[in-house]
């Protein structure tokens, strides 16, 4: 794992519109969903809990890499 400090004033590293995949699973069956437009990750976790119906779930975040300046 890599950890590095970030300057909160530098907004180049921020992702404005990540997608959050949510994977529900029970036994061998699974269903996948992609959530976009969430205000924060807590909203995604609440949605997953509300729709789990007793299934386990996993989520993450997908973001586009930042644009690199031309050299």
């Amino acid at each position: 794992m890599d950890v590095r400090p970030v300057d909160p004033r530098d907004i180049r590293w921020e992702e404005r519109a990540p997608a959050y995949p949510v994977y529900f699973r029970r036994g061998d069956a699974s269903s996948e969903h992609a959530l976009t437009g969430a205000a924060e990750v807590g909203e995604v976790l609440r949605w997953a809990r509300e729709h789990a119906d007793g299934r386990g779930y996993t989520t993450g975040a997908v973001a586009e890499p930042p644009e690199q300046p031309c050299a």
Side-chain angles (χ1 to χ4, degrees):
M1 174 171 47
D2 294 322
V3 179
R4 65 181 175 83
V6 294
D7 183 345
R9 298 168 294 183
D10 179 2
I11 61 170
R12 289 176 294 169
W13 62 271
E14 292 182 5
E15 175 59 43
R16 300 267 184 230
Y20 298 93
V22 178
Y23 304 96
F24 294 108
R25 66 193 175 288
R26 180 181 291 139
D28 291 338
S30 68
S31 63
E32 299 81 25
H33 304 272
L35 283 66
T36 56
E40 46 112 24
V41 71
E43 185 177 355
V44 174
L45 296 174
R46 281 189 297 279
W47 183 89
R49 278 193 302 270
E50 291 170 2
H51 292 84
D53 294 326
R55 299 173 290 180
Y57 62 88
T58 310
T59 189
V62 178
E64 294 294 320
E67 292 183 22
Q68 299 297 320
C70 296

Short mmCIF file of all heavy atoms in Angstrom, two decimals:
data_model
loop_
_atom_site.label_atom_id
_atom_site.label_comp_id
_atom_site.label_asym_id
_atom_site.label_seq_id
_atom_site.Cartn_x
_atom_site.Cartn_y
_atom_site.Cartn_z
N MET A 1 0.86 -1.16 0.00
CA MET A 1 0.00 0.00 0.00
C MET A 1 0.90 1.22 0.00
O MET A 1 1.89 1.28 0.72
CB MET A 1 -0.89 -0.02 1.23
CG MET A 1 -1.70 1.21 1.38
SD MET A 1 -2.99 1.20 2.67
CE MET A 1 -2.16 0.55 4.08
N ASP A 2 0.52 2.20 -0.81
CA ASP A 2 1.25 3.46 -0.85
C ASP A 2 0.40 4.54 -0.20
O ASP A 2 -0.80 4.61 -0.43
CB ASP A 2 1.53 3.88 -2.29
CG ASP A 2 2.49 2.94 -2.98
OD1 ASP A 2 3.43 2.48 -2.31
OD2 ASP A 2 2.29 2.66 -4.17
N VAL A 3 1.02 5.36 0.62
CA VAL A 3 0.35 6.48 1.28
C VAL A 3 1.18 7.72 1.03
O VAL A 3 2.41 7.69 1.14
CB VAL A 3 0.23 6.22 2.80
CG1 VAL A 3 -0.45 7.40 3.48
CG2 VAL A 3 -0.53 4.94 3.07
N ARG A 4 0.51 8.79 0.65
CA ARG A 4 1.22 10.04 0.45
C ARG A 4 0.33 11.19 0.91
O ARG A 4 -0.90 11.10 0.83
CB ARG A 4 1.62 10.23 -1.00
CG ARG A 4 0.45 10.36 -1.93
CD ARG A 4 0.92 10.53 -3.38
NE ARG A 4 -0.21 10.55 -4.28
CZ ARG A 4 -0.96 11.62 -4.55
NH1 ARG A 4 -0.70 12.77 -3.98
NH2 ARG A 4 -1.98 11.54 -5.38
N PRO A 5 0.92 12.24 1.42
CA PRO A 5 0.10 13.39 1.83
C PRO A 5 -0.42 14.11 0.59
O PRO A 5 0.19 14.05 -0.48
CB PRO A 5 1.07 14.26 2.61
CG PRO A 5 2.43 13.87 2.12
CD PRO A 5 2.33 12.43 1.69
N VAL A 6 -1.56 14.75 0.74
CA VAL A 6 -2.11 15.57 -0.34
C VAL A 6 -2.42 16.95 0.22
O VAL A 6 -2.70 17.11 1.40
CB VAL A 6 -3.39 14.96 -0.96
CG1 VAL A 6 -3.08 13.67 -1.67
CG2 VAL A 6 -4.47 14.78 0.06
N ASP A 7 -2.34 17.92 -0.63
CA ASP A 7 -2.68 19.29 -0.26
C ASP A 7 -4.15 19.50 -0.58
O ASP A 7 -4.54 19.43 -1.75
CB ASP A 7 -1.79 20.25 -1.05
CG ASP A 7 -2.02 21.71 -0.68
OD1 ASP A 7 -3.05 22.03 -0.03
OD2 ASP A 7 -1.18 22.54 -1.05
N PRO A 8 -5.00 19.75 0.41
CA PRO A 8 -6.44 19.90 0.13
C PRO A 8 -6.76 21.10 -0.75
O PRO A 8 -7.85 21.18 -1.30
CB PRO A 8 -7.07 20.04 1.51
CG PRO A 8 -5.96 20.45 2.41
CD PRO A 8 -4.69 19.91 1.82
N ARG A 9 -5.81 22.00 -0.92
CA ARG A 9 -6.03 23.15 -1.81
C ARG A 9 -5.81 22.79 -3.27
O ARG A 9 -6.23 23.50 -4.17
CB ARG A 9 -5.10 24.30 -1.42
CG ARG A 9 -5.38 24.81 0.00
CD ARG A 9 -4.28 25.71 0.44
NE ARG A 9 -3.07 24.89 0.57
CZ ARG A 9 -1.90 25.34 0.99
NH1 ARG A 9 -1.75 26.59 1.33
NH2 ARG A 9 -0.86 24.54 1.09
N ASP A 10 -5.14 21.66 -3.52
CA ASP A 10 -4.85 21.20 -4.87
C ASP A 10 -5.99 20.30 -5.32
O ASP A 10 -6.11 19.17 -4.87
CB ASP A 10 -3.53 20.43 -4.89
CG ASP A 10 -3.18 19.91 -6.27
OD1 ASP A 10 -3.93 20.17 -7.23
OD2 ASP A 10 -2.15 19.23 -6.38
N ILE A 11 -6.84 20.79 -6.20
CA ILE A 11 -8.02 20.03 -6.61
C ILE A 11 -7.77 19.14 -7.83
O ILE A 11 -8.67 18.45 -8.28
CB ILE A 11 -9.23 20.95 -6.87
CG1 ILE A 11 -8.93 21.92 -8.01
CG2 ILE A 11 -9.64 21.67 -5.60
CD1 ILE A 11 -10.13 22.69 -8.49
N ARG A 12 -6.54 19.11 -8.36
CA ARG A 12 -6.26 18.29 -9.54
C ARG A 12 -6.45 16.80 -9.25
O ARG A 12 -6.75 16.03 -10.14
CB ARG A 12 -4.85 18.55 -10.05
CG ARG A 12 -4.68 19.90 -10.68
CD ARG A 12 -3.27 20.12 -11.07
NE ARG A 12 -2.49 20.19 -9.83
CZ ARG A 12 -1.17 20.18 -9.78
NH1 ARG A 12 -0.48 20.09 -10.89
NH2 ARG A 12 -0.54 20.27 -8.64
N TRP A 13 -6.26 16.35 -8.02
CA TRP A 13 -6.36 14.93 -7.69
C TRP A 13 -7.78 14.51 -7.37
O TRP A 13 -8.07 13.34 -7.25
CB TRP A 13 -5.43 14.59 -6.53
CG TRP A 13 -5.76 15.31 -5.27
CD1 TRP A 13 -5.29 16.53 -4.87
CD2 TRP A 13 -6.65 14.88 -4.24
NE1 TRP A 13 -5.83 16.89 -3.67
CE2 TRP A 13 -6.67 15.89 -3.25
CE3 TRP A 13 -7.42 13.75 -4.05
CZ2 TRP A 13 -7.45 15.79 -2.10
CZ3 TRP A 13 -8.20 13.66 -2.89
CH2 TRP A 13 -8.20 14.68 -1.94
N GLU A 14 -8.70 15.46 -7.22
CA GLU A 14 -10.07 15.12 -6.86
C GLU A 14 -10.84 14.60 -8.07
O GLU A 14 -10.67 15.07 -9.18
CB GLU A 14 -10.79 16.34 -6.30
CG GLU A 14 -10.27 16.78 -4.96
CD GLU A 14 -11.05 17.95 -4.40
OE1 GLU A 14 -12.04 18.37 -5.03
OE2 GLU A 14 -10.65 18.45 -3.34
N GLU A 15 -11.70 13.63 -7.82
CA GLU A 15 -12.58 13.10 -8.86
C GLU A 15 -13.97 13.66 -8.61
O GLU A 15 -14.54 13.48 -7.53
CB GLU A 15 -12.59 11.57 -8.80
CG GLU A 15 -13.56 10.92 -9.75
CD GLU A 15 -13.31 11.27 -11.22
OE1 GLU A 15 -12.16 11.28 -11.65
OE2 GLU A 15 -14.29 11.53 -11.93
N ARG A 16 -14.52 14.35 -9.58
CA ARG A 16 -15.81 15.01 -9.40
C ARG A 16 -17.01 14.08 -9.59
O ARG A 16 -18.06 14.32 -9.05
CB ARG A 16 -15.93 16.17 -10.37
CG ARG A 16 -14.86 17.21 -10.18
CD ARG A 16 -15.34 18.28 -9.27
NE ARG A 16 -14.32 19.33 -9.18
CZ ARG A 16 -13.88 19.80 -8.04
NH1 ARG A 16 -14.34 19.34 -6.91
NH2 ARG A 16 -12.97 20.75 -8.03
N ALA A 17 -16.85 13.01 -10.36
CA ALA A 17 -18.00 12.16 -10.66
C ALA A 17 -17.59 10.68 -10.70
O ALA A 17 -17.63 10.06 -11.75
CB ALA A 17 -18.64 12.58 -11.97
N PRO A 18 -17.20 10.12 -9.56
CA PRO A 18 -16.84 8.69 -9.60
C PRO A 18 -18.08 7.81 -9.76
O PRO A 18 -19.20 8.22 -9.45
CB PRO A 18 -16.19 8.46 -8.23
CG PRO A 18 -16.82 9.49 -7.35
CD PRO A 18 -17.07 10.69 -8.23
N ALA A 19 -17.88 6.64 -10.25
CA ALA A 19 -18.93 5.62 -10.29
C ALA A 19 -18.62 4.63 -9.18
O ALA A 19 -17.46 4.38 -8.85
CB ALA A 19 -18.93 4.91 -11.63
N TYR A 20 -19.65 4.10 -8.56
CA TYR A 20 -19.49 3.16 -7.46
C TYR A 20 -20.13 1.83 -7.85
O TYR A 20 -21.36 1.72 -7.88
CB TYR A 20 -20.17 3.69 -6.20
CG TYR A 20 -19.58 4.98 -5.70
CD1 TYR A 20 -20.11 6.20 -6.09
CD2 TYR A 20 -18.49 4.98 -4.85
CE1 TYR A 20 -19.58 7.39 -5.63
CE2 TYR A 20 -17.95 6.17 -4.38
CZ TYR A 20 -18.50 7.37 -4.78
OH TYR A 20 -17.96 8.55 -4.32
N PRO A 21 -19.34 0.82 -8.16
CA PRO A 21 -19.92 -0.50 -8.43
C PRO A 21 -20.35 -1.13 -7.10
O PRO A 21 -19.66 -1.01 -6.10
CB PRO A 21 -18.78 -1.27 -9.08
CG PRO A 21 -17.54 -0.62 -8.58
CD PRO A 21 -17.89 0.81 -8.33
N VAL A 22 -21.51 -1.77 -7.11
CA VAL A 22 -21.99 -2.52 -5.94
C VAL A 22 -22.30 -3.93 -6.41
O VAL A 22 -23.05 -4.12 -7.37
CB VAL A 22 -23.24 -1.87 -5.31
CG1 VAL A 22 -23.74 -2.70 -4.14
CG2 VAL A 22 -22.95 -0.44 -4.87
N TYR A 23 -21.69 -4.90 -5.75
CA TYR A 23 -21.87 -6.31 -6.09
C TYR A 23 -22.58 -7.00 -4.93
O TYR A 23 -22.07 -7.01 -3.82
CB TYR A 23 -20.51 -6.98 -6.32
CG TYR A 23 -19.67 -6.30 -7.37
CD1 TYR A 23 -18.70 -5.37 -7.00
CD2 TYR A 23 -19.86 -6.57 -8.71
CE1 TYR A 23 -17.94 -4.72 -7.96
CE2 TYR A 23 -19.09 -5.93 -9.68
CZ TYR A 23 -18.14 -5.01 -9.30
OH TYR A 23 -17.39 -4.38 -10.25
N PHE A 24 -23.75 -7.55 -5.20
CA PHE A 24 -24.48 -8.34 -4.21
C PHE A 24 -24.20 -9.81 -4.49
O PHE A 24 -24.12 -10.22 -5.64
CB PHE A 24 -25.98 -8.10 -4.31
CG PHE A 24 -26.40 -6.70 -3.94
CD1 PHE A 24 -26.81 -5.82 -4.91
CD2 PHE A 24 -26.38 -6.29 -2.62
CE1 PHE A 24 -27.21 -4.53 -4.58
CE2 PHE A 24 -26.76 -5.00 -2.27
CZ PHE A 24 -27.19 -4.12 -3.26
N ARG A 25 -24.09 -10.62 -3.44
CA ARG A 25 -23.85 -12.04 -3.65
C ARG A 25 -24.58 -12.88 -2.59
O ARG A 25 -24.71 -12.49 -1.45
CB ARG A 25 -22.36 -12.33 -3.62
CG ARG A 25 -21.75 -12.10 -2.27
CD ARG A 25 -20.24 -12.08 -2.30
NE ARG A 25 -19.69 -11.73 -1.01
CZ ARG A 25 -19.72 -10.53 -0.45
NH1 ARG A 25 -20.29 -9.53 -1.08
NH2 ARG A 25 -19.21 -10.31 0.74
N ARG A 26 -25.04 -14.02 -3.04
CA ARG A 26 -25.63 -15.03 -2.16
C ARG A 26 -25.34 -16.37 -2.81
O ARG A 26 -25.83 -16.65 -3.90
CB ARG A 26 -27.13 -14.84 -1.98
CG ARG A 26 -27.73 -15.92 -1.05
CD ARG A 26 -29.22 -15.79 -0.85
NE ARG A 26 -29.52 -14.60 -0.08
CZ ARG A 26 -30.54 -13.77 -0.33
NH1 ARG A 26 -31.35 -14.00 -1.34
NH2 ARG A 26 -30.75 -12.72 0.42
N GLY A 27 -24.51 -17.17 -2.15
CA GLY A 27 -24.12 -18.45 -2.74
C GLY A 27 -23.38 -18.21 -4.04
O GLY A 27 -22.45 -17.43 -4.12
N ASP A 28 -23.84 -18.89 -5.11
CA ASP A 28 -23.22 -18.74 -6.43
C ASP A 28 -23.86 -17.63 -7.26
O ASP A 28 -23.41 -17.35 -8.36
CB ASP A 28 -23.30 -20.05 -7.20
CG ASP A 28 -22.41 -21.13 -6.61
OD1 ASP A 28 -21.45 -20.77 -5.90
OD2 ASP A 28 -22.68 -22.32 -6.84
N ALA A 29 -24.94 -17.03 -6.75
CA ALA A 29 -25.65 -16.00 -7.50
C ALA A 29 -25.13 -14.62 -7.12
O ALA A 29 -24.80 -14.36 -5.97
CB ALA A 29 -27.14 -16.08 -7.23
N SER A 30 -25.04 -13.75 -8.11
CA SER A 30 -24.62 -12.37 -7.84
C SER A 30 -25.36 -11.42 -8.76
O SER A 30 -25.90 -11.82 -9.79
CB SER A 30 -23.11 -12.21 -8.02
OG SER A 30 -22.76 -12.37 -9.38
N SER A 31 -25.42 -10.18 -8.36
CA SER A 31 -25.95 -9.13 -9.23
C SER A 31 -25.08 -7.90 -9.04
O SER A 31 -24.56 -7.65 -7.95
CB SER A 31 -27.42 -8.82 -8.92
OG SER A 31 -27.57 -8.32 -7.61
N GLU A 32 -24.90 -7.17 -10.11
CA GLU A 32 -24.00 -6.03 -10.11
C GLU A 32 -24.76 -4.77 -10.50
O GLU A 32 -25.64 -4.82 -11.36
CB GLU A 32 -22.84 -6.24 -11.09
CG GLU A 32 -21.97 -7.43 -10.77
CD GLU A 32 -22.54 -8.76 -11.24
OE1 GLU A 32 -23.35 -8.77 -12.20
OE2 GLU A 32 -22.20 -9.79 -10.65
N HIS A 33 -24.40 -3.68 -9.86
CA HIS A 33 -25.03 -2.38 -10.14
C HIS A 33 -23.93 -1.32 -10.16
O HIS A 33 -22.94 -1.44 -9.45
CB HIS A 33 -26.05 -2.02 -9.05
CG HIS A 33 -27.09 -3.07 -8.87
ND1 HIS A 33 -28.24 -3.10 -9.58
CD2 HIS A 33 -27.12 -4.16 -8.06
CE1 HIS A 33 -28.96 -4.15 -9.21
NE2 HIS A 33 -28.29 -4.81 -8.29
N ALA A 34 -24.13 -0.26 -10.94
CA ALA A 34 -23.21 0.87 -10.96
C ALA A 34 -23.99 2.11 -10.52
O ALA A 34 -25.00 2.45 -11.14
CB ALA A 34 -22.62 1.08 -12.34
N LEU A 35 -23.55 2.73 -9.45
CA LEU A 35 -24.20 3.94 -8.95
C LEU A 35 -23.38 5.15 -9.36
O LEU A 35 -22.16 5.16 -9.20
CB LEU A 35 -24.32 3.90 -7.43
CG LEU A 35 -25.43 3.02 -6.85
CD1 LEU A 35 -25.18 1.57 -7.11
CD2 LEU A 35 -25.61 3.28 -5.38
N THR A 36 -24.04 6.15 -9.90
CA THR A 36 -23.37 7.41 -10.25
C THR A 36 -24.20 8.55 -9.67
O THR A 36 -25.37 8.38 -9.35
CB THR A 36 -23.26 7.59 -11.78
OG1 THR A 36 -24.56 7.50 -12.36
CG2 THR A 36 -22.36 6.53 -12.40
N GLY A 37 -23.58 9.68 -9.51
CA GLY A 37 -24.29 10.86 -9.02
C GLY A 37 -24.45 10.90 -7.51
O GLY A 37 -25.18 11.74 -7.00
N ALA A 38 -23.78 10.02 -6.78
CA ALA A 38 -23.87 10.04 -5.32
C ALA A 38 -23.11 11.25 -4.79
O ALA A 38 -22.02 11.58 -5.28
CB ALA A 38 -23.29 8.76 -4.73
N ALA A 39 -23.67 11.90 -3.78
CA ALA A 39 -23.02 13.07 -3.18
C ALA A 39 -21.79 12.67 -2.38
O ALA A 39 -20.83 13.43 -2.28
CB ALA A 39 -24.01 13.82 -2.30
N GLU A 40 -21.81 11.47 -1.80
CA GLU A 40 -20.69 10.98 -1.00
C GLU A 40 -20.83 9.48 -0.83
O GLU A 40 -21.87 8.90 -1.09
CB GLU A 40 -20.65 11.70 0.35
CG GLU A 40 -22.00 11.79 1.06
CD GLU A 40 -22.04 10.94 2.30
OE1 GLU A 40 -20.97 10.67 2.84
OE2 GLU A 40 -23.12 10.53 2.70
N VAL A 41 -19.75 8.82 -0.41
CA VAL A 41 -19.73 7.36 -0.33
C VAL A 41 -20.76 6.82 0.67
O VAL A 41 -21.29 5.73 0.50
CB VAL A 41 -18.31 6.84 -0.04
CG1 VAL A 41 -17.90 7.15 1.39
CG2 VAL A 41 -18.20 5.36 -0.33
N GLY A 42 -21.09 7.59 1.71
CA GLY A 42 -22.11 7.16 2.67
C GLY A 42 -23.45 6.90 2.00
O GLY A 42 -24.19 6.00 2.39
N GLU A 43 -23.78 7.67 0.99
CA GLU A 43 -25.02 7.49 0.24
C GLU A 43 -25.02 6.13 -0.47
O GLU A 43 -26.02 5.42 -0.51
CB GLU A 43 -25.18 8.63 -0.75
CG GLU A 43 -26.47 8.64 -1.50
CD GLU A 43 -26.60 9.85 -2.42
OE1 GLU A 43 -25.73 10.73 -2.41
OE2 GLU A 43 -27.58 9.88 -3.17
N VAL A 44 -23.88 5.76 -1.02
CA VAL A 44 -23.74 4.47 -1.71
C VAL A 44 -23.89 3.32 -0.71
O VAL A 44 -24.60 2.35 -0.96
CB VAL A 44 -22.38 4.38 -2.42
CG1 VAL A 44 -22.15 3.00 -3.02
CG2 VAL A 44 -22.27 5.46 -3.49
N LEU A 45 -23.23 3.44 0.45
CA LEU A 45 -23.33 2.39 1.46
C LEU A 45 -24.75 2.24 1.99
O LEU A 45 -25.22 1.12 2.20
CB LEU A 45 -22.36 2.68 2.60
CG LEU A 45 -20.88 2.65 2.21
CD1 LEU A 45 -20.02 3.11 3.38
CD2 LEU A 45 -20.48 1.28 1.72
N ARG A 46 -25.45 3.35 2.18
CA ARG A 46 -26.86 3.26 2.62
C ARG A 46 -27.71 2.55 1.57
O ARG A 46 -28.52 1.69 1.89
CB ARG A 46 -27.42 4.66 2.89
CG ARG A 46 -27.00 5.23 4.22
CD ARG A 46 -27.74 6.53 4.56
NE ARG A 46 -27.48 7.61 3.62
CZ ARG A 46 -26.39 8.38 3.66
NH1 ARG A 46 -25.46 8.18 4.58
NH2 ARG A 46 -26.23 9.35 2.78
N TRP A 47 -27.50 2.89 0.29
CA TRP A 47 -28.26 2.25 -0.78
C TRP A 47 -27.99 0.74 -0.78
O TRP A 47 -28.90 -0.06 -0.89
CB TRP A 47 -27.90 2.85 -2.14
CG TRP A 47 -28.70 2.27 -3.26
CD1 TRP A 47 -29.90 2.70 -3.71
CD2 TRP A 47 -28.36 1.10 -4.02
NE1 TRP A 47 -30.33 1.89 -4.72
CE2 TRP A 47 -29.41 0.88 -4.93
CE3 TRP A 47 -27.29 0.22 -4.01
CZ2 TRP A 47 -29.41 -0.17 -5.83
CZ3 TRP A 47 -27.30 -0.83 -4.91
CH2 TRP A 47 -28.35 -1.01 -5.81
N ALA A 48 -26.73 0.37 -0.64
CA ALA A 48 -26.36 -1.05 -0.66
C ALA A 48 -27.02 -1.78 0.51
O ALA A 48 -27.57 -2.87 0.33
CB ALA A 48 -24.85 -1.20 -0.62
N ARG A 49 -26.97 -1.21 1.70
CA ARG A 49 -27.61 -1.85 2.87
C ARG A 49 -29.11 -2.01 2.66
O ARG A 49 -29.68 -3.04 2.98
CB ARG A 49 -27.35 -1.03 4.13
CG ARG A 49 -26.01 -1.28 4.78
CD ARG A 49 -25.93 -0.69 6.17
NE ARG A 49 -26.18 0.75 6.19
CZ ARG A 49 -25.24 1.68 6.06
NH1 ARG A 49 -23.98 1.34 5.91
NH2 ARG A 49 -25.56 2.95 6.09
N GLU A 50 -29.75 -0.97 2.13
CA GLU A 50 -31.21 -1.00 1.92
C GLU A 50 -31.63 -2.01 0.86
O GLU A 50 -32.76 -2.49 0.87
CB GLU A 50 -31.70 0.39 1.53
CG GLU A 50 -31.62 1.39 2.66
CD GLU A 50 -31.89 2.83 2.19
OE1 GLU A 50 -32.18 3.03 0.99
OE2 GLU A 50 -31.77 3.73 3.04
N HIS A 51 -30.75 -2.34 -0.08
CA HIS A 51 -31.10 -3.25 -1.17
C HIS A 51 -30.45 -4.62 -1.05
O HIS A 51 -30.58 -5.45 -1.96
CB HIS A 51 -30.73 -2.60 -2.51
CG HIS A 51 -31.58 -1.41 -2.83
ND1 HIS A 51 -31.30 -0.15 -2.34
CD2 HIS A 51 -32.73 -1.29 -3.53
CE1 HIS A 51 -32.22 0.69 -2.75
NE2 HIS A 51 -33.11 0.02 -3.47
N ALA A 52 -29.77 -4.89 0.04
CA ALA A 52 -29.04 -6.15 0.19
C ALA A 52 -29.97 -7.35 0.35
O ALA A 52 -29.63 -8.45 -0.09
CB ALA A 52 -28.08 -6.07 1.38
N ASP A 53 -31.13 -7.20 0.98
CA ASP A 53 -32.06 -8.32 1.18
C ASP A 53 -31.36 -9.55 1.75
O ASP A 53 -31.56 -10.67 1.28
CB ASP A 53 -32.78 -8.69 -0.12
CG ASP A 53 -33.70 -7.59 -0.61
OD1 ASP A 53 -34.30 -6.89 0.24
OD2 ASP A 53 -33.82 -7.43 -1.83
N GLY A 54 -30.50 -9.34 2.73
CA GLY A 54 -29.81 -10.46 3.36
C GLY A 54 -28.58 -10.95 2.63
O GLY A 54 -27.90 -11.86 3.09
N ARG A 55 -28.28 -10.37 1.47
CA ARG A 55 -27.10 -10.77 0.71
C ARG A 55 -25.88 -10.01 1.21
O ARG A 55 -25.99 -8.92 1.75
CB ARG A 55 -27.28 -10.47 -0.78
CG ARG A 55 -28.44 -11.20 -1.41
CD ARG A 55 -28.68 -10.73 -2.83
NE ARG A 55 -29.21 -9.36 -2.82
CZ ARG A 55 -29.52 -8.68 -3.90
NH1 ARG A 55 -29.32 -9.21 -5.10
NH2 ARG A 55 -30.00 -7.45 -3.81
N GLY A 56 -24.71 -10.58 1.00
CA GLY A 56 -23.48 -9.84 1.24
C GLY A 56 -23.25 -8.89 0.08
O GLY A 56 -23.79 -9.08 -1.01
N TYR A 57 -22.47 -7.86 0.30
CA TYR A 57 -22.18 -6.93 -0.79
C TYR A 57 -20.78 -6.35 -0.66
O TYR A 57 -20.19 -6.33 0.41
CB TYR A 57 -23.22 -5.81 -0.88
CG TYR A 57 -23.30 -4.92 0.34
CD1 TYR A 57 -22.50 -3.79 0.46
CD2 TYR A 57 -24.19 -5.21 1.36
CE1 TYR A 57 -22.57 -2.97 1.56
CE2 TYR A 57 -24.28 -4.40 2.47
CZ TYR A 57 -23.47 -3.28 2.57
OH TYR A 57 -23.55 -2.48 3.67
N THR A 58 -20.28 -5.90 -1.79
CA THR A 58 -18.98 -5.25 -1.88
C THR A 58 -19.15 -4.02 -2.75
O THR A 58 -19.94 -4.04 -3.70
CB THR A 58 -17.95 -6.19 -2.56
OG1 THR A 58 -17.98 -7.45 -1.93
CG2 THR A 58 -16.56 -5.62 -2.47
N THR A 59 -18.42 -2.98 -2.44
CA THR A 59 -18.47 -1.79 -3.28
C THR A 59 -17.07 -1.21 -3.42
O THR A 59 -16.14 -1.61 -2.73
CB THR A 59 -19.45 -0.72 -2.74
OG1 THR A 59 -19.59 0.31 -3.71
CG2 THR A 59 -18.99 -0.15 -1.42
N GLY A 60 -16.92 -0.29 -4.32
CA GLY A 60 -15.66 0.39 -4.55
C GLY A 60 -15.92 1.69 -5.27
O GLY A 60 -17.06 2.14 -5.34
N ALA A 61 -14.89 2.30 -5.79
CA ALA A 61 -15.03 3.54 -6.56
C ALA A 61 -14.20 3.41 -7.83
O ALA A 61 -13.10 2.86 -7.81
CB ALA A 61 -14.56 4.73 -5.75
N VAL A 62 -14.76 3.89 -8.92
CA VAL A 62 -14.06 3.90 -10.21
C VAL A 62 -13.95 5.35 -10.65
O VAL A 62 -14.94 6.06 -10.73
CB VAL A 62 -14.85 3.09 -11.27
CG1 VAL A 62 -14.15 3.15 -12.62
CG2 VAL A 62 -15.05 1.66 -10.81
N ALA A 63 -12.72 5.76 -10.93
CA ALA A 63 -12.49 7.15 -11.34
C ALA A 63 -11.55 7.16 -12.55
O ALA A 63 -10.70 6.29 -12.69
CB ALA A 63 -11.87 7.94 -10.20
N GLU A 64 -11.71 8.14 -13.38
CA GLU A 64 -10.83 8.32 -14.51
C GLU A 64 -9.50 8.88 -14.00
O GLU A 64 -9.48 9.70 -13.07
CB GLU A 64 -11.43 9.30 -15.51
CG GLU A 64 -12.71 8.80 -16.16
CD GLU A 64 -12.44 7.60 -17.06
OE1 GLU A 64 -11.41 7.59 -17.76
OE2 GLU A 64 -13.27 6.68 -17.05
N PRO A 65 -8.39 8.47 -14.60
CA PRO A 65 -7.10 9.05 -14.17
C PRO A 65 -7.07 10.54 -14.51
O PRO A 65 -7.68 10.97 -15.48
CB PRO A 65 -6.07 8.27 -14.98
CG PRO A 65 -6.82 7.64 -16.08
CD PRO A 65 -8.25 7.51 -15.67
N PRO A 66 -6.37 11.32 -13.68
CA PRO A 66 -6.30 12.75 -13.98
C PRO A 66 -5.55 13.01 -15.29
O PRO A 66 -4.69 12.23 -15.67
CB PRO A 66 -5.54 13.33 -12.79
CG PRO A 66 -4.78 12.17 -12.23
CD PRO A 66 -5.60 10.95 -12.53
N GLU A 67 -5.93 14.08 -15.93
CA GLU A 67 -5.23 14.45 -17.17
C GLU A 67 -3.83 14.90 -16.81
O GLU A 67 -3.62 15.65 -15.85
CB GLU A 67 -5.97 15.58 -17.88
CG GLU A 67 -7.30 15.15 -18.43
CD GLU A 67 -7.98 16.27 -19.21
OE1 GLU A 67 -7.28 17.20 -19.67
OE2 GLU A 67 -9.20 16.23 -19.32
N GLN A 68 -2.86 14.45 -17.58
CA GLN A 68 -1.47 14.82 -17.35
C GLN A 68 -1.13 16.03 -18.23
O GLN A 68 -1.48 16.04 -19.40
CB GLN A 68 -0.55 13.64 -17.68
CG GLN A 68 -0.80 12.42 -16.83
CD GLN A 68 -0.51 12.70 -15.36
OE1 GLN A 68 0.44 13.38 -15.03
NE2 GLN A 68 -1.35 12.19 -14.49
N PRO A 69 -0.44 17.01 -17.68
CA PRO A 69 -0.04 18.15 -18.51
C PRO A 69 0.98 17.72 -19.57
O PRO A 69 1.76 16.80 -19.35
CB PRO A 69 0.57 19.14 -17.52
CG PRO A 69 0.92 18.32 -16.32
CD PRO A 69 0.00 17.12 -16.32
N CYS A 70 0.94 18.36 -20.72
CA CYS A 70 1.91 18.06 -21.77
C CYS A 70 3.28 18.61 -21.38
O CYS A 70 3.39 19.69 -20.82
CB CYS A 70 1.49 18.70 -23.09
SG CYS A 70 -0.04 18.02 -23.73
N ALA A 71 4.31 17.87 -21.67
CA ALA A 71 5.67 18.30 -21.31
C ALA A 71 6.27 19.13 -22.42
O ALA A 71 5.92 19.11 -23.51
CB ALA A 71 6.54 17.09 -21.03
#
